[in-house]
Amino acid sequence: SSLEPASARPPPSALLGRRPGAMFNARKKILKDKGAAPTELEEEVAKALFDIEVSPSSDIKADLRDVYISSAQDLEVKNRIALVVHVPFRVWKTVRKIQGRLIRELEKKFNKKHVVFVANRTILDKNFRRKGLQVRPRSRTLTSVHESMLEDVVGPTEIFGKRTRIGVDGSKLLKVILDPKDKDKENVENKLATFSAVYKKLTNKEATFVFPEA
């Protein structure tokens, strides 16, 4: 009852686990580091995910139950906004499975934004032994994490090939060739500049994305 002393009430986090409770809502779709408060945008993304999950007509609702985000940010790309959504690595396998349909659903809800999903991955630098590890897994090296991010950013489109060009000033430009069978799908051709901008923001590396010429 409302007369209950505050100390007797369970904390909000305890209420989240009660399925029929009013607290069990979009907030369960966000897991921030160290309990940090979510931004307004993150709450909007979480609500959109929750709405898709409870929609009777959604064919990805079962998979979406296990999906939550860790952060979201808007990124300006030319004349539009890209919405970059980060998810914990442990739910990435599920996201990957429904990535195309999930992006399509979110893009309907976030008018005209390009939605990009990226998994959180930890890069271990050369001081990994200080962290008590004998061997640094290859999947945790900077190069490998950046390669994986490249695949995340363009997903569900597959990467067909890569070329690296070295500029006169020594700068590297990565040319990423995408699978030609995806060229006409899901507005992908309009997203090539978005892929470049998001990859640059995440890795500080330049990359261009193209489809092979017929």
Side-chain angles (χ1 to χ4, degrees):
S1 85
S2 56
L3 297 173
E4 233 174 83
S7 58
R9 287 182 218 142
S13 57
L15 291 169
L16 281 175
R18 295 183 191 170
R19 208 165 179 101
M23 288 289 292
F24 190 80
N25 56 15
R27 286 299 292 273
K28 77 178 177 81
K29 307 302 282 178
I30 315 176
L31 189 70
K32 297 286 287 181
D33 268 354
K34 302 180 181 67
T39 64
E40 203 173 310
L41 177 66
E42 285 161 357
E43 290 193 334
E44 279 178 45
V45 174
K47 183 175 184 319
L49 290 175
F50 186 71
D51 287 347
I52 298 165
E53 187 186 315
V54 297
S55 160
S57 61
S58 170
D59 61 347
I60 56 175
K61 57 196 291 181
D63 289 307
L64 210 46
R65 250 176 235 141
D66 301 324
V67 173
Y68 45 93
I69 68 167
S70 48
S71 65
Q73 64 198 114
D74 277 338
L75 182 64
E76 266 187 64
V77 184
K78 291 189 175 171
N79 52 358
R80 69 162 69 236
I81 302 281
L83 172 58
V84 186
V85 182
H86 292 264
V87 300
F89 186 72
R90 61 181 169 275
V91 304
W92 181 246
K93 201 171 163 186
T94 309
V95 171
R96 191 85 179 136
K97 196 168 116 190
I98 58 171
Q99 197 174 4
R101 286 171 294 169
L102 185 53
I103 287 172
R104 197 160 58 237
E105 292 290 334
L106 281 179
E107 287 183 343
K108 278 185 215 159
K109 289 178 179 291
F110 289 90
N111 198 11
K112 300 207 168 51
K113 284 186 184 181
H114 284 163
V115 176
V116 175
F117 277 92
V118 183
N120 293 334
R121 293 181 175 84
T122 312
I123 295 169
L124 289 175
D125 59 21
K126 299 208 166 51
N127 300 326
F128 61 92
R129 286 201 174 83
R130 285 190 201 154
K131 297 189 169 81
L133 297 164
Q134 292 308 305
V135 179
R136 175 170 60 160
R138 187 189 174 281
S139 65
R140 297 292 192 83
T141 60
L142 180 81
T143 306
S144 176
V145 168
H146 285 183
E147 278 173 10
S148 298
M149 280 180 172
L150 202 56
E151 288 170 12
D152 293 358
V153 166
V154 301
T157 301
E158 301 282 336
I159 292 174
F160 204 60
K162 293 178 209 162
R163 311 262 183 284
T164 303
R165 281 215 318 266
I166 311 287
V168 185
D169 58 354
S171 63
K172 285 184 182 178
L173 174 67
L174 181 63
K175 185 176 183 179
V176 182
I177 300 144
L178 301 175
D179 191 335
K181 74 174 170 26
D182 291 327
K183 187 171 183 176
D184 301 321
K185 276 190 199 164
E186 308 296 342
N187 198 19
V188 173
E189 265 207 288
N190 292 333
K191 292 185 173 181
L192 302 179
T194 299
F195 296 158
S196 296
V198 173
Y199 186 68
K200 168 87 175 174
K201 172 83 175 165
L202 295 172
T203 64
N204 211 22
K205 289 180 179 172
E206 301 284 351
T208 58
F209 295 82
V210 295
F211 283 101
E213 285 157 26

